[in-house]
Amino acid sequence: MSKKVSIRRLPTGVPGLDNLLGGGLPEFSFNLIAGPPGSGKTTLAHQIMFSLANSNNRGLFFTVLGEPALKMLRYQQQFAFFDIDKINESIRFVNLSADLMEGNFDRVLSRIAKEVKNYTPSFVFIDSFRSVVQSTKTLEAGTSELQRFVQQLSMQMTSWQATSFLLGEYLILEAESSPVFTVADGILWLSQNTHRNSMVRKIQVVKMRGQAQAPGLHTFRISHEGVQIFPRAMISSGTVVASSIAAPGGEQRVSMGTPGLDEMLGGGLPAGYSLLLVGPSGSGKTVLATEFLTEGARRGEPGVIAAFEKTPNQLLSKKLNALVKTGQVGVIDTRSLDLSLDQILHDLIEMITRMQAKRVVIDSLSGFELALAPEFHEDFRGSLYRMIAELTRMGVTVLMTLELEDRYTDLRFSPFGSAFLADAIIVQRYVEIAGQFKRVISVVKVRGSQHSKDIRLYDITDEGIVFGEALSAYTGIMTGRPTGDLVT
C-alpha cells in the first residue's frame, strides 16, 4: 500500500498570501515571481526572505543591479519587515552584475552554483536578469542565448535542496512561450492596472503544484508594513447566505433602537439579516443607522460602521462618538480613494472579529461605489453580493443605506438592480400634505416574516426619529404622486 509524500508548507509572512497559495509555499519548490517593473516583485521577495530566514535556515539573494546592494537595502529598510540583524547572519547578498556584464553566461551559472554550495542556504532568490542583459549593448549574445541561460538556471534551481525564487520581468505573451513557466513549481503574477487617475495592484497565483490555490485576481497594496494581500471573497457551496433562509417565528430578533420600527418589522429585524435602508437626501437614513448602533451598544452588542460619504466627525452623534471612544463601536477608515472591495471587506472582517461585533452599518452604498477604484464599478453588483454573503455568513446583522432620488412617478429600491440581495427593505420618502413636505416610512419586505404594510409619518428631532400615525389616517390616498393638498 503506497503512502503519500508529505510536503511541508512554509508560511510566507505576507498577510493574505498563504491563503492564496493553499496554505503556504511547498518546501524545496522552484517559484517564479513575475510582473512588469514597479509591480512589487523585489519587495515581495524580500518580505518572504526576511520572514523565513533564521540562524538554522539561511537566505541567499543574488542581485544583478549595477548599483551596490547597499543602495537597494537602503530603501528596503523603510519597511517594517526589514531586520538589520539578519544581514550577514542569516541573509547574504551577492552582486552578479560584474560577471553578467562580461557576457559569459556559463561563468554566471558557475558562480551561482558555487555560492549556493558554499553557503548551503535554505532559501535562494535570484533577481531579474532581463533588464540588465537587454540594456547592455556590448553583449554579443542574442535573445536565444539569454533564453538558454534562463532555462539552464531554472533547471539548476529545481535541483537544489532549497526553496528558490526567480524574479522576472515578463510580458504576458512572453510567458506563454517561456520554458521557465514550464519547469516552475509555482508562479506568482504581479500587475498594476491604471484606469484614469487610479492605480490598483493585483496578484494572481498562476500555478502552484500539489495544492489547491485560490483562483482569480486579488488586490494588494504596498505600505510601510510591506505587501498586504486582500484575497477575493469566494462564495463556496458550503457558504450559507442569510438571504436564502426563511426566518422561523421564534428566531432571535434585533431591535432597531427606533420606537415603533420594531413593530413594523414584525418584532425587530431577524439576527444575521441584511437590511437595505433606501431614501432621498435628508430623509434620516444616517440618523436611523446611528440609532441602530446605539441600541446595539446599549444591549451589549458591539458594532462597526464604514462611512463613505462623511468623515467620522461629521457622521457620529455625540452619543455615538462616545461609544467609539469607549470601544463599543468601531469605525472603518474609508477616507482614501481607489479602494478595492476586498480591502474594505478585509478591514471589516478584521474589526468584527477583534471586537466580536454583532452589528455592521455601511453608509452608504452610493458612497461606497464612488470610493472604489473605477475598474471595480462594472462588477459592483457582484462585489456587493460577495460582501453581503461573507458578512451574513459571520452571523452579523448588516444595515446598508442607499440614497435614491424621489421621482414621485416610480418606486425603485436600488439603482444597481441588487435589492434582491437584501433580506429586508425599508423605504423613506417625501409626500406633500397640506402644502408641506412630510417624511413617510414603510417596510417593503422582511424575508420569512410578517411585517406591517402601513406607511407611517415620522419626524427627525433632537431625540432621534419619532413616529407619527399611519398615512391611512388621512382622508386622501397617496400613490406616490403629489395630487394636491390632503387634509385631516
Side-chain angles (χ1 to χ4, degrees):
M1 180 177 180
S2 62
K3 295 183 179 180
K4 292 184 178 179
V5 176
S6 178
I7 299 178
R8 181 186 172 199
R9 296 179 182 179
L10 307 173
T12 61
V14 179
L17 182 55
D18 292 349
N19 293 338
L20 299 192
L21 299 176
L25 281 167
E27 190 176 26
F28 305 142
S29 60
F30 165 50
N31 304 279
L32 178 65
I33 302 178
S39 57
K41 299 184 298 298
T42 300
T43 301
L44 178 63
H46 280 178
Q47 189 168 346
I48 294 173
M49 179 174 63
F50 276 95
S51 174
L52 292 174
N54 54 48
S55 57
N56 297 321
N57 299 282
R58 297 183 293 182
L60 185 59
F61 196 101
F62 292 98
T63 176
V64 296
L65 297 175
E67 56 191 12
L70 288 177
K71 184 175 181 179
M72 175 186 65
L73 294 179
R74 176 188 177 190
Y75 292 101
Q76 292 297 311
Q77 287 183 49
Q78 309 307 311
F79 294 110
F81 63 76
F82 189 91
D83 187 352
I84 191 66
D85 294 331
K86 289 189 176 184
I87 303 298
N88 295 327
E89 290 294 332
S90 56
I91 293 176
R92 182 185 176 194
F93 288 86
V94 176
N95 195 324
L96 298 173
S97 58
D99 301 89
L100 192 61
M101 289 300 180
E102 295 180 5
N104 190 332
F105 290 156
D106 292 334
R107 177 179 172 179
V108 176
L109 286 171
S110 178
R111 171 81 186 280
I112 292 174
K114 181 179 179 181
E115 294 286 351
V116 171
K117 181 179 179 181
N118 293 338
Y119 194 66
T120 60
S122 298
F123 311 102
V124 179
F125 297 80
I126 302 181
D127 209 342
S128 174
F129 289 87
R130 293 178 58 82
S131 58
V132 175
V133 172
Q134 293 179 344
S135 64
T136 305
K137 299 180 180 179
T138 57
L139 285 179
E140 297 180 357
T143 304
S144 60
E145 186 68 14
L146 173 62
Q147 291 179 347
R148 185 184 68 84
F149 162 73
V150 174
Q151 184 176 8
Q152 288 182 331
L153 174 62
S154 58
M155 293 300 296
Q156 192 176 89
M157 295 175 73
T158 60
S159 66
W160 296 332
Q161 287 296 300
T163 307
S164 56
F165 303 81
L166 178 63
L167 283 62
E169 295 174 2
Y170 289 91
L171 300 177
I172 295 179
L173 292 178
E174 292 177 308
E176 295 177 352
S177 59
S178 174
V180 182
F181 283 71
T182 302
V183 299
D185 301 308
I187 301 173
L188 303 180
W189 192 277
L190 279 61
S191 63
Q192 48 186 0
N193 304 320
T194 303
H195 184 87
R196 295 180 181 174
N197 294 326
S198 67
M199 191 272 287
V200 177
R201 299 179 187 272
K202 293 189 177 183
I203 184 172
Q204 178 184 6
V205 182
V206 179
K207 176 183 181 182
M208 188 56 60
R209 283 187 174 136
Q211 54 197 55
Q213 67 271 16
L217 295 170
H218 308 264
T219 57
F220 72 96
R221 69 182 175 196
I222 301 177
S223 65
H224 172 71
E225 300 296 322
V227 174
Q228 183 177 14
I229 298 171
F230 306 99
R232 188 163 58 93
M234 303 296 292
I235 307 303
S236 63
S237 58
T239 299
V240 178
V241 182
S243 302
S244 64
I245 304 176
E251 186 171 305
Q252 180 183 356
R253 298 277 176 156
V254 172
S255 175
M256 298 297 295
T258 301
L261 186 54
D262 288 348
E263 296 178 11
M264 294 186 69
L265 289 167
L269 183 66
Y273 265 31
S274 59
L275 167 65
L276 183 62
L277 178 60
V278 182
S281 177
S283 59
K285 299 183 296 299
T286 299
V287 176
L288 196 149
T290 54
E291 290 187 353
F292 171 72
L293 289 176
T294 303
E295 178 67 13
R298 190 181 72 80
R299 293 172 176 266
E301 301 171 359
V304 174
I305 183 168
F308 293 93
E309 292 190 349
K310 306 177 182 70
T311 64
N313 291 334
Q314 294 174 320
L315 172 73
L316 303 182
S317 63
K318 292 182 179 179
K319 183 184 297 186
L320 194 55
N321 191 46
L323 296 175
V324 172
K325 291 181 179 179
T326 58
Q328 294 173 279
V329 172
V331 180
I332 296 293
D333 181 13
T334 61
R335 286 174 291 181
S336 60
L337 297 177
D338 297 343
L339 298 171
S340 73
L341 176 129
D342 298 308
Q343 180 176 343
I344 290 296
L345 182 58
H346 171 273
D347 293 344
L348 276 171
I349 291 176
E350 188 178 66
M351 185 170 287
I352 290 169
T353 304
R354 184 176 71 252
M355 296 182 59
Q356 295 297 299
K358 301 299 182 182
R359 302 184 182 211
V360 172
V361 167
I362 300 173
D363 187 33
S364 69
L365 293 183
S366 307
F368 183 19
E369 185 186 23
L370 292 176
L372 294 176
E375 70 172 80
F376 295 105
H377 291 180
E378 294 181 0
D379 189 37
F380 184 70
R381 185 184 185 191
S383 298
L384 189 60
Y385 171 74
R386 291 188 286 114
M387 182 183 70
I388 295 173
E390 186 65 22
L391 291 177
T392 54
R393 183 191 64 81
M394 299 177 66
V396 298
T397 306
V398 183
L399 187 155
M400 303 168 288
T401 69
L402 177 61
E403 181 173 334
L404 282 181
E405 178 185 359
D406 198 337
R407 297 183 178 180
Y408 296 102
T409 57
D410 59 4
L411 183 62
R412 296 180 303 152
F413 303 131
S414 169
F416 316 118
S418 54
F420 75 95
L421 297 176
D423 302 303
I425 298 177
I426 295 177
V427 174
Q428 298 170 306
R429 305 188 73 186
Y430 291 112
V431 296
E432 184 185 348
I433 300 178
Q436 291 184 333
F437 275 120
K438 299 289 186 179
R439 299 182 180 95
V440 295
I441 189 170
S442 58
V443 177
V444 175
K445 76 170 183 179
V446 180
R447 290 191 193 274
S449 175
Q450 294 293 326
H451 60 84
S452 172
K453 307 301 190 295
D454 288 339
I455 301 176
R456 295 188 62 177
L457 292 165
Y458 70 95
D459 265 327
I460 301 175
T461 69
D462 292 339
E463 301 300 321
I465 293 180
V466 178
F467 275 44
E469 55 192 341
L471 199 60
S472 58
Y474 290 84
T475 57
I477 300 175
M478 297 300 298
T479 62
R481 297 192 303 266
T483 57
D485 293 351
L486 299 180
V487 295
T488 59

